[in-house]
Amino acid sequence: MSLETLVKEVYSSAKENKNLFIFESTSSQKEANGIQFQINYVPTLAKKPTDGNNEKPINPFLNPDPALVVKEDGNYRILLNKFCVVPHHLLIITKEYQPQTLPLFPPDMLIGWKTLMNAYGPSNPGMLFYNCGPQSGASQGHKHMQIIPLVGAGVQPPIQQAVDNIENSKAGEIYTLDQLPYVHVLTPLDRKFMDESADAAVEDYLGQMFFGLLDAMFQQLRFLDDDKEATNKKPSFNFMITSQFMLLVPRRLEDGITEDGIKLSMNSLGFGGFLLAKTESEYKALQAMPNLMDLLTQVGFPRPLNHSQELHQE
Ligand code: B4P
């Protein structure tokens, strides 16, 4: 059975048997620096069940609910997100405990890529993201990547609108985008090479691209001399990969504060162009922000303006 069919079947049965929570959302768009951000308003998420104030929080990924397991694959499990806003939201978790503070390694990247390419059908790849480290917006400490579908053939996340502005973009080169005022590094991917290559070559390629980006990210952080304390902390970053590109954004803080003084936790999805509001005041505060980029810049590292050109390409 194809992974796409398996995802649909396990999701339908988990939904029918109430093994997962589905949170209804409404969304609106708001433009910032030429990108149409999507603001998802999910009021019922504020009432999401928790495991109380346990001194030792339960690790939900060590013995996950079998009703949510889509597939066992070597050292990994592909699992449905128990608390989903977007149907068919998947997690790829390591079977054995590994900390979420580790970077992704080539085998993580390979299963991530293959799942991304097949979970929703080859013409509908989704977006994979990884919230790494204490300031990244992650709530679970057991290593997990996440994949959400992007509904509609060929659909890309809002951030693609900025990626499309790179002139003569070349796979494997590292870029920073003028529209993004926070430190980030991005590389377009050679999907044709990956479609036509054996797993071992794809794994090598993805590993090289990821570690190349990670190096470039640390290089950019070394340019910043105004926040040594933050850069010396355990590194946190948000990572995403689509069928087109990889993006890394280093994180300084978990929460941003809106003009109205409302605290909002941000994860990788924010940098892909998807923002989340759990209360009406959060939703209104996001809509009222003069520039949503300010929120992302607060939780990332402001980018020094005079470096924008010299870091443009490698
Ligand atoms: P983390 O990396 O640790 O954290 P997160 O995605 O930021 O979600 P968080 O858990 O902080 O929840 P939040 O209220 O912000 O990921 C852990 C993942 O494991 C989450 O997806 C979680 O739901 C899932 N999980 C926890 N316990 C589980 C279990 N027992 N079995 C299976 N899965 C389990 O956000 C709530 C939901 O909204 C999350 O799914 C989040 O990914 C999603 N979301 C966040 N921003 C969004 C946006 N802009 N648009 C749509 N959805 C969004």
Side-chain angles (χ1 to χ4, degrees):
M1 192 187 290
S2 73
L3 182 61
E4 185 185 0
T5 310
L6 210 51
V7 169
K8 284 186 183 145
E9 287 196 356
V10 180
Y11 180 84
S12 298
S13 120
K15 184 176 167 185
E16 205 177 298
N17 296 317
K18 303 201 167 27
N19 297 113
L20 47 75
F21 296 85
I22 301 172
F23 300 98
E24 297 294 327
S25 67
T26 50
S27 65
S28 61
Q29 291 196 332
K30 184 172 166 69
E31 188 270 345
N33 292 15
I35 299 166
Q36 287 292 340
F37 278 79
Q38 185 177 314
I39 305 178
N40 292 327
Y41 176 36
V42 195
T44 46
L45 253 187
K47 297 182 201 114
K48 179 174 143 182
T50 61
D51 59 2
N53 286 332
N54 283 353
E55 256 176 45
K56 204 164 178 269
I58 297 158
N59 175 353
F61 301 150
L62 219 40
N63 293 301
D65 181 351
L68 300 177
V69 176
V70 174
K71 195 179 167 188
E72 309 262 346
D73 192 330
N75 297 324
Y76 302 90
R77 283 195 179 97
I78 302 175
L79 189 73
L80 287 170
N81 181 357
K82 184 172 177 162
F83 305 103
C84 66
V85 174
V86 182
H88 306 128
H89 181 152
L90 296 172
L91 308 174
I92 304 173
I93 59 178
T94 54
K95 279 188 185 164
E96 303 285 326
Y97 173 78
Q98 286 187 32
Q100 185 77 0
T101 46
L102 289 178
L104 296 176
F105 296 117
D108 302 325
M109 303 286 312
L110 179 65
I111 185 163
W113 177 260
K114 287 172 73 172
T115 311
L116 187 64
M117 289 300 116
N118 294 303
Y120 312 121
S123 60
N124 272 337
M127 181 172 112
L128 179 147
F129 58 100
Y130 183 57
N131 302 321
C132 182
Q135 315 297 329
S136 67
S139 63
Q140 297 298 336
H142 179 134
K143 196 173 202 186
H144 62 282
M145 297 173 271
Q146 306 192 46
I147 301 185
I148 53 160
L150 298 165
V151 181
V155 168
Q156 296 295 329
I159 189 71
Q160 181 70 36
Q161 295 153 24
V163 180
D164 287 341
N165 288 339
I166 305 174
E167 278 178 33
N168 305 318
S169 126
K170 289 200 192 75
E173 292 211 10
I174 296 177
Y175 297 90
T176 60
L177 308 177
D178 291 338
Q179 281 153 284
L180 309 184
Y182 44 84
V183 173
H184 65 279
V185 279
L186 177 140
T187 192
L189 294 171
D190 189 346
R191 182 168 173 195
K192 187 166 178 287
F193 168 79
M194 287 194 278
D195 282 349
E196 292 169 357
S197 300
D199 283 0
V202 175
E203 181 174 324
D204 271 5
Y205 175 81
L206 288 166
Q208 275 176 32
M209 293 299 120
F210 178 74
F211 280 99
L213 268 192
L214 207 59
D215 270 358
M217 181 188 93
F218 284 118
Q219 241 177 56
Q220 289 217 26
L221 288 179
R222 280 193 287 271
F223 275 121
L224 307 176
D225 50 14
D226 59 338
D227 206 347
K228 282 277 184 291
E229 210 182 302
T231 46
N232 286 340
K233 278 200 285 202
K234 207 169 221 178
S236 295
F237 61 81
N238 290 126
F239 171 71
M240 81 196 61
I241 174 166
T242 68
S243 60
Q244 312 273 321
F245 67 86
M246 276 183 195
L247 172 71
L248 262 182
V249 182
R251 290 291 296 271
R252 196 164 60 106
L253 296 172
E254 167 154 9
D255 297 323
I257 300 184
T258 65
E259 303 252 306
D260 320 12
I262 291 177
K263 243 169 129 182
L264 284 170
S265 165
M266 302 277 174
N267 71 15
S268 301
L269 287 175
F271 292 96
F274 300 105
L275 294 166
L276 182 70
K278 297 181 187 175
T279 62
E280 195 178 357
S281 41
E282 286 178 6
Y283 189 54
K284 285 192 171 147
L286 280 171
Q287 285 179 319
M289 283 289 287
N291 190 336
L292 288 171
M293 289 287 178
D294 293 346
L295 215 49
L296 298 175
T297 308
Q298 281 178 43
V299 298
F301 291 84
R303 200 169 117 205
L305 287 175
N306 52 350
H307 284 144
S308 87
Q309 290 308 314
E310 69 192 76
L311 292 172
H312 211 61
Q313 288 187 6
E314 275 213 351

